[in-house]
Amino acid sequence: IVIVGGVAAGASTAARARRLDEQAEIVVLERGQHVSFANCGLPYHIGGAIQERDSLLLQTPESLKASLNLDVRVGHEVLRIDRAARRVAVRELASGRAYEESYDKLVLCPGAVPVRPNLPGIDHPRLFVLRNIDDMDQIKAVVDGGARSALVIGGGYIGVEMAEALTDRGIKV
């Protein structure tokens, strides 16, 4: 079983697959550097309510190997799917090495990409999205660097929690 994407959907799918078949070879290919983290905690680390960054990291490739015998590969991007041959083309981001991984079952859990409308200024270095640990680290660095005001676009749970966390840090939101 090859699972494209980690975090909530991919890691949960891999764990369920393991419970259903103790003998299956299960490979999780995650483009990012973290396979499992507390998404909803990201604003709270930026705001300071969650002090330890590592407390947001729920599982690692090593812990998933030890507990569920999963082959989790972070920093691996799936480039193509060949359904007829039952293979995916993969690139290891750190080295650039390309290889193919075969599968009997393929599960797609790639997550989402934030909408960045084609507007003037959209590439400004102080315009951020908050989807993962790397995004959180970038925002926290700016906040820790003395940011005094912020505009939060998006009123879902993460947006509201981000506005609350920034306000708690004394930032005008």
Side-chain angles (χ1 to χ4, degrees):
I1 302 170
V2 170
I3 300 170
V4 179
V7 194
S12 296
T13 299
R16 178 71 175 146
R18 174 55 68 225
R19 285 190 293 276
L20 293 173
D21 186 346
E22 292 183 14
Q23 305 308 313
E25 179 184 347
I26 302 170
V27 177
V28 178
L29 302 167
E30 167 57 42
R31 178 177 32 195
Q33 293 303 310
H34 303 95
V35 69
S36 177
F37 57 90
N39 308 52
C40 292
L42 301 177
Y44 295 111
H45 179 62
I46 293 167
I50 296 175
Q51 293 289 316
E52 296 299 321
R53 178 184 184 273
D54 286 349
S55 68
L56 298 173
L57 305 176
L58 305 176
Q59 296 285 344
T60 65
E62 297 77 19
S63 68
L64 290 169
K65 179 68 173 174
S67 64
L68 296 171
N69 192 27
L70 301 177
D71 179 358
V72 177
R73 304 174 194 169
V74 295
H76 284 69
E77 180 178 33
V78 173
L79 304 171
R80 285 181 308 288
I81 299 169
D82 183 339
R83 291 176 47 196
R86 293 181 168 249
R87 290 180 213 200
V88 292
V90 182
R91 181 178 62 204
E92 183 179 23
L93 297 176
S95 68
R97 177 180 70 97
Y99 66 95
E100 290 189 343
E101 188 71 41
S102 63
Y103 63 86
D104 294 318
K105 301 284 184 188
L106 178 66
V107 182
L108 301 177
C109 303
V113 176
V115 174
R116 294 182 70 103
N118 186 18
L119 297 171
I122 196 71
D123 293 324
H124 192 281
R126 302 268 306 233
L127 188 129
F128 303 98
V129 297
L130 181 58
R131 294 276 308 155
N132 57 40
I133 297 287
D134 294 335
D135 296 339
M136 176 193 72
D137 290 341
Q138 290 177 356
I139 295 167
K140 188 168 185 324
V142 171
V143 170
D144 291 348
R148 295 187 312 266
S149 64
L151 171 66
V152 176
I153 300 174
Y157 289 116
I158 300 295
V160 170
E161 291 166 352
M162 192 68 226
E164 177 187 26
L166 293 171
T167 300
D168 288 348
R169 292 280 305 262
I171 294 173
K172 180 182 174 191
V173 178

